[in-house]
Coordinates of all heavy atoms in Angstrom, one line a residue:
I4 N 0.9 7.9 1.7 CA 0.4 9.2 1.2 C 0.4 10.1 2.4 O -0.1 9.8 3.5 CB -1.0 9.1 0.6 CG1 -1.0 8.1 -0.5 CG2 -1.5 10.4 0.2 CD1 -2.4 7.7 -1.0
I5 N 1.1 11.2 2.3 CA 1.2 12.2 3.4 C 0.9 13.6 2.8 O 1.2 13.9 1.7 CB 2.6 12.2 4.1 CG1 3.7 12.6 3.1 CG2 2.8 10.9 4.7 CD1 5.1 12.7 3.8
P6 N 0.3 14.5 3.7 CA 0.1 15.9 3.2 C 1.4 16.7 3.2 O 2.3 16.4 3.9 CB -0.9 16.4 4.3 CG -0.6 15.6 5.5 CD -0.2 14.2 5.0
I7 N 1.4 17.7 2.4 CA 2.6 18.5 2.1 C 3.1 19.2 3.4 O 4.3 19.4 3.6 CB 2.4 19.5 1.0 CG1 3.7 20.0 0.5 CG2 1.5 20.6 1.4 CD1 3.6 20.7 -0.9
R8 N 2.2 19.5 4.3 CA 2.5 20.1 5.6 C 3.5 19.2 6.4 O 4.2 19.7 7.3 CB 1.3 20.5 6.4 CG 0.5 19.4 7.0 CD -0.7 19.9 7.8 NE -1.4 18.7 8.3 CZ -2.4 18.2 7.6 NH1 -2.8 18.7 6.5 NH2 -3.1 17.2 8.1
D9 N 3.4 17.9 6.2 CA 4.3 17.0 7.0 C 5.8 17.0 6.5 O 6.6 16.4 7.1 CB 3.8 15.6 6.9 CG 2.5 15.3 7.7 OD1 2.1 16.3 8.4 OD2 2.0 14.2 7.6
L10 N 6.0 17.8 5.4 CA 7.4 17.8 4.9 C 8.3 18.8 5.8 O 9.5 18.8 5.6 CB 7.4 18.4 3.5 CG 6.8 17.4 2.4 CD1 6.9 18.1 1.0 CD2 7.6 16.1 2.4
K11 N 7.7 19.4 6.8 CA 8.4 20.3 7.6 C 9.5 19.6 8.4 O 10.6 20.1 8.7 CB 7.5 21.1 8.6 CG 6.6 22.0 7.8 CD 5.7 22.7 8.8 CE 4.7 23.6 8.0 NZ 3.7 24.2 8.9
N12 N 9.2 18.3 8.8 CA 10.1 17.6 9.6 C 11.0 16.7 8.7 O 10.7 15.6 8.5 CB 9.4 16.7 10.6 CG 10.3 16.1 11.7 OD1 11.5 16.0 11.5 ND2 9.8 15.7 12.8
T13 N 12.1 17.3 8.2 CA 12.9 16.7 7.2 C 13.6 15.4 7.6 O 13.7 14.5 6.8 CB 13.9 17.7 6.6 OG1 14.7 18.2 7.7 CG2 13.2 18.8 5.9
S14 N 14.0 15.3 8.9 CA 14.6 14.1 9.4 C 13.7 12.9 9.4 O 14.1 11.8 8.9 CB 15.1 14.3 10.8 OG 16.1 15.3 10.9
D15 N 12.4 13.2 9.8 CA 11.5 12.1 9.7 C 11.2 11.7 8.3 O 11.0 10.5 8.0 CB 10.2 12.5 10.4 CG 10.3 12.6 11.9 OD1 11.3 12.1 12.5 OD2 9.4 13.1 12.6
I16 N 11.1 12.6 7.4 CA 10.8 12.3 6.0 C 11.9 11.5 5.4 O 11.7 10.5 4.7 CB 10.5 13.6 5.2 CG1 9.3 14.3 5.7 CG2 10.4 13.3 3.7 CD1 8.0 13.5 5.5
S17 N 13.1 11.9 5.7 CA 14.3 11.2 5.2 C 14.3 9.8 5.7 O 14.5 8.9 4.9 CB 15.6 11.9 5.6 OG 16.7 11.2 5.2
Q18 N 14.1 9.6 6.9 CA 14.0 8.2 7.5 C 12.9 7.4 6.8 O 13.0 6.2 6.5 CB 13.9 8.3 9.0 CG 14.0 6.9 9.7 CD 15.4 6.3 9.4 OE1 16.4 7.0 9.4 NE2 15.4 5.0 9.3
M19 N 11.7 8.0 6.7 CA 10.6 7.4 6.0 C 10.9 6.9 4.6 O 10.6 5.8 4.2 CB 9.4 8.4 6.0 CG 8.1 7.7 5.7 SD 6.7 9.0 5.5 CE 6.9 9.9 7.0
C20 N 11.6 7.8 3.9 CA 12.0 7.4 2.5 C 13.0 6.2 2.5 O 12.9 5.3 1.6 CB 12.7 8.6 1.8 SG 11.5 9.9 1.3
K21 N 13.9 6.2 3.4 CA 14.9 5.1 3.5 C 14.2 3.8 3.9 O 14.7 2.7 3.4 CB 16.0 5.5 4.5 CG 16.9 6.6 4.0 CD 17.9 7.0 5.1 CE 18.8 8.1 4.6 NZ 19.6 8.7 5.6
E22 N 13.2 3.8 4.7 CA 12.5 2.6 5.1 C 11.5 2.2 4.1 O 11.1 1.0 4.2 CB 11.9 2.9 6.5 CG 12.9 3.1 7.6 CD 12.3 3.5 8.9 OE1 11.1 3.7 9.0 OE2 13.1 3.6 9.9
A23 N 11.0 3.0 3.3 CA 9.9 2.7 2.4 C 10.3 1.8 1.2 O 11.5 1.9 0.8 CB 9.3 4.0 1.8
S24 N 9.4 0.9 0.9 CA 9.7 0.0 -0.2 C 9.2 0.5 -1.6 O 9.3 -0.2 -2.6 CB 9.2 -1.4 0.1 OG 7.8 -1.3 0.2
E25 N 8.5 1.6 -1.5 CA 8.0 2.3 -2.7 C 8.0 3.8 -2.5 O 8.1 4.2 -1.4 CB 6.6 1.7 -3.1 CG 5.6 1.8 -2.0 CD 4.4 1.0 -2.4 OE1 4.4 -0.2 -2.6 OE2 3.3 1.7 -2.5
P26 N 7.8 4.6 -3.6 CA 7.7 6.0 -3.4 C 6.7 6.5 -2.5 O 5.7 5.8 -2.3 CB 7.5 6.5 -4.8 CG 7.9 5.4 -5.7 CD 7.7 4.1 -5.0
I27 N 6.9 7.7 -1.9 CA 5.9 8.3 -1.0 C 5.2 9.4 -1.7 O 5.8 10.2 -2.3 CB 6.6 8.8 0.3 CG1 7.2 7.6 1.0 CG2 5.6 9.5 1.2 CD1 8.2 8.0 2.1
Y28 N 3.9 9.4 -1.7 CA 3.1 10.4 -2.4 C 2.7 11.5 -1.5 O 2.3 11.3 -0.4 CB 1.8 9.7 -3.0 CG 2.1 8.7 -4.0 CD1 2.4 7.4 -3.6 CD2 2.1 9.0 -5.3 CE1 2.7 6.4 -4.5 CE2 2.4 8.0 -6.3 CZ 2.7 6.7 -5.9 OH 3.0 5.8 -6.8
I29 N 2.9 12.8 -2.0 CA 2.7 14.0 -1.2 C 1.4 14.6 -1.8 O 1.3 14.8 -3.1 CB 3.9 15.0 -1.3 CG1 5.2 14.3 -1.0 CG2 3.6 16.2 -0.5 CD1 5.3 13.7 0.4
T30 N 0.5 15.0 -1.0 CA -0.7 15.6 -1.4 C -0.7 17.1 -1.0 O -0.1 17.5 0.0 CB -2.0 15.0 -0.9 OG1 -1.9 15.0 0.6 CG2 -2.1 13.5 -1.3
K31 N -1.4 17.9 -1.8 CA -1.6 19.3 -1.5 C -3.1 19.6 -1.7 O -3.6 19.4 -2.8 CB -0.7 20.2 -2.4 CG -0.8 21.7 -2.1 CD 0.1 22.4 -3.0 CE 0.1 23.9 -2.7 NZ 1.0 24.7 -3.6
N32 N -3.7 20.1 -0.7 CA -5.2 20.3 -0.7 C -6.0 19.1 -1.1 O -6.9 19.2 -1.8 CB -5.5 21.5 -1.7 CG -4.9 22.8 -1.2 OD1 -4.8 23.1 0.0 ND2 -4.4 23.6 -2.1
G33 N -5.5 17.9 -0.7 CA -6.2 16.7 -0.9 C -5.9 16.0 -2.3 O -6.4 15.0 -2.6
Y34 N -5.0 16.7 -3.1 CA -4.7 16.1 -4.4 C -3.3 15.8 -4.6 O -2.4 16.4 -3.9 CB -5.1 17.2 -5.5 CG -6.6 17.5 -5.6 CD1 -7.1 18.6 -4.9 CD2 -7.4 16.7 -6.3 CE1 -8.4 18.9 -5.0 CE2 -8.8 16.9 -6.3 CZ -9.3 18.0 -5.7 OH -10.6 18.3 -5.7
G35 N -3.0 14.8 -5.4 CA -1.6 14.4 -5.6 C -0.8 15.6 -6.1 O -1.2 16.3 -7.0
D36 N 0.4 15.8 -5.5 CA 1.3 16.9 -5.9 C 2.7 16.5 -6.3 O 3.3 17.0 -7.3 CB 1.3 18.0 -4.8 CG 2.0 19.3 -5.2 OD1 1.6 19.8 -6.3 OD2 2.8 19.7 -4.4
M37 N 3.3 15.6 -5.5 CA 4.7 15.2 -5.7 C 4.8 13.7 -5.2 O 4.0 13.2 -4.6 CB 5.6 16.1 -4.8 CG 5.7 17.5 -5.1 SD 6.9 18.4 -4.1 CE 6.0 18.5 -2.6
V38 N 6.0 13.2 -5.6 CA 6.4 11.9 -5.2 C 7.8 12.0 -4.7 O 8.7 12.6 -5.4 CB 6.3 10.8 -6.3 CG1 6.8 9.5 -5.9 CG2 4.9 10.7 -6.8
I39 N 8.2 11.4 -3.6 CA 9.5 11.4 -3.1 C 10.0 10.0 -2.8 O 9.2 9.1 -2.6 CB 9.7 12.3 -1.8 CG1 8.8 11.8 -0.7 CG2 9.5 13.8 -2.1 CD1 9.0 12.5 0.6

Side-chain angles (χ1 to χ4, degrees):
I4 302 170
I5 61 173
I7 199 164
R8 69 176 176 271
D9 288 358
L10 293 180
K11 292 177 184 175
N12 193 339
T13 56
S14 295
D15 288 348
I16 296 296
S17 176
Q18 188 62 35
M19 192 183 310
C20 286
K21 289 176 185 171
E22 293 172 354
S24 60
E25 54 189 62
I27 298 170
Y28 296 85
I29 310 298
T30 60
K31 182 176 182 181
N32 298 325
Y34 296 97
D36 188 50
M37 295 184 282
V38 176
I39 57 174

